[in-house]
Amino acid sequence: PAVDIEPGDETETLAGVVNRLWEIEEPYRLKVGTDIELSLQHQADFDPLSADGRTLTDRATEPLFAKVDRSKFSRLDRAFMALLDNYEREGDKRETVNAQER
């Protein structure tokens, strides 16, 4: 879809920029119920067994997305997802980068 991406007055405020990006992205957005199905489960909860009792624990047993129409992904989406398997939650661990990701 053709979308006008030329900047205008909206660049004067952060809210304007965010709203404009939301408009530009809209034609490419996946639709819940059509392109994706969510698997809503238990919410994250405070873990009473944590040292401070304030640590959030994800209690979901299944992935958030039950179905995703991957044919709707752009090249950018696919490139981003290829990097996600490298994410290391712990800051002291090195990520693994393969030849395709370089």
Side-chain angles (χ1 to χ4, degrees):
V3 178
D4 178 19
I5 59 170
E6 291 299 316
D9 294 342
E10 72 275 353
T11 61
E12 294 177 12
T13 67
L14 178 59
V17 170
V18 170
N19 288 334
R20 184 67 182 117
L21 288 172
W22 183 255
E23 290 172 11
I24 291 170
E25 184 269 342
E26 195 279 328
Y28 308 99
R29 202 172 301 148
L30 297 178
K31 312 280 189 286
V32 175
T34 304
D35 304 318
I36 60 174
E37 288 181 18
L38 299 177
S39 176
L40 300 177
Q41 302 165 65
H42 197 283
Q43 299 176 353
D45 238 338
F46 288 111
D47 186 347
L49 301 178
S50 66
D52 62 0
R54 308 277 315 150
T55 302
L56 284 175
T57 301
D58 181 0
R59 304 215 185 274
T61 58
E62 300 293 325
L64 174 60
F65 297 100
K67 177 194 134 214
V68 178
D69 182 355
R70 293 175 180 260
S71 71
K72 302 279 179 106
F73 289 170
S74 68
R75 282 182 39 209
L76 179 61
D77 296 327
R78 289 188 294 275
F80 176 73
M81 290 182 56
L83 294 173
L84 290 177
D85 67 337
N86 294 342
Y87 177 75
E88 290 291 347
R89 187 176 201 167
E90 305 302 323
D92 61 340
K93 292 184 182 175
R94 294 180 57 95
E95 66 177 81
T96 304
V97 180
N98 65 32
Q100 180 184 8
E101 294 164 341
R102 288 188 196 119

